Structures are given as structure tokens and as C-alpha cells.
Amino acid sequence: MKVTHPAVSIVDDDESVRESLPDLLNEFGFSAKTFASAEEFLASDSVGTTRCLVLDVAMPGMTGPELQRELARRGESIPIVFITANADDTIRPRLMEQGAVECLFKPFSDTALLEALSSALSAP
């Protein structure tokens, strides 16, 4: 029997996040791919195979929420866990209202990320 590891795509313009998160996600049993921008993710063949998206809120070009709207427009329903360095208290409720599974503030714990991903992947 083939063991499948849920595909998680990480979209963040911060290189340190793109370097550290895949190792952590692999340890958790996920298959991780990284993208430096929303545009790069949209142009990839990963859109159709991604089971969960770890998405930075603020990026140059298309922002995380703009990518979320674009995916919805295309009929792609990928659960999204937003991550942000912006500790604005109004941002999380707004993102959750728009359908995000979770919004984590950097720096977040490994446990918080794992819980958010588990939640995203168990959502109907």
C-alpha cells in the first residue's frame, strides 16, 4: 500500500520561512513545496494537488487574501492557514470570516502550526 503524504504548499516571500518550514512539515509527515509569491503558486501545477496552503498575508504583488479570492474565483477550495508578522488584532477575525482555517502570528510554535494543519486537513 502506498503511503500518501498530504501536499502542503507554502507561499511566503520570506526566504527563511521557505527554508525552515518544509523540513518541519516533512517531520510532521507532510509533503511540502514552497513558492516565493502568489503568482508563482498560481502558475505551478501544485494548485490542483495542494491539500492545504500555508500562506503569508502580506507579500509584494498579490497578497495572501488576494490569492485566497483568486482561488475561490477559479473554484479551487484549498484550506488556508495564514501566517503573518503583522500583529494587528483586526486581521485574524477578518481572515477567519473570509474562510481561513487559522491565522498564526509569526513567530508561531511548531505545535500551533501542526494543530492548524490538522484542522485544515480534517475539514469537510
Side-chain angles (χ1 to χ4, degrees), residues 8 12 24-25 29 35 49 57 60 62 64 80 85 88 91 93 98 112:
V8 176
D12 197 316
L24 178 64
L25 293 181
F35 301 90
T49 59
V57 173
M62 185 183 280
I80 297 174
D88 174 351
I91 211 164
Q98 293 165 3

Side-chain angles (χ1 to χ4, degrees), residues 27-59:
E27 281 178 38
F28 287 155
F30 299 105
S31 162
K33 282 191 178 171
T34 61
F35 301 90
S37 69
E39 294 85 353
E40 185 185 338
F41 175 70
L42 286 172
S44 76
D45 59 1
S46 293
V47 175
T49 59
T50 296
R51 294 272 323 279
C52 182
L53 196 53
V54 176
L55 182 56
D56 189 14
V57 173
M59 296 181 287

Side-chain angles (χ1 to χ4, degrees), residues 88-110:
D88 174 351
D89 288 339
T90 64
I91 211 164
R92 185 176 186 275
R94 210 169 49 235
L95 292 170
M96 300 294 281
E97 267 173 35
Q98 293 165 3
V101 173
E102 185 55 272
C103 177
L104 302 174
F105 295 101
K106 298 174 186 174
F108 46 82
S109 71
D110 296 358

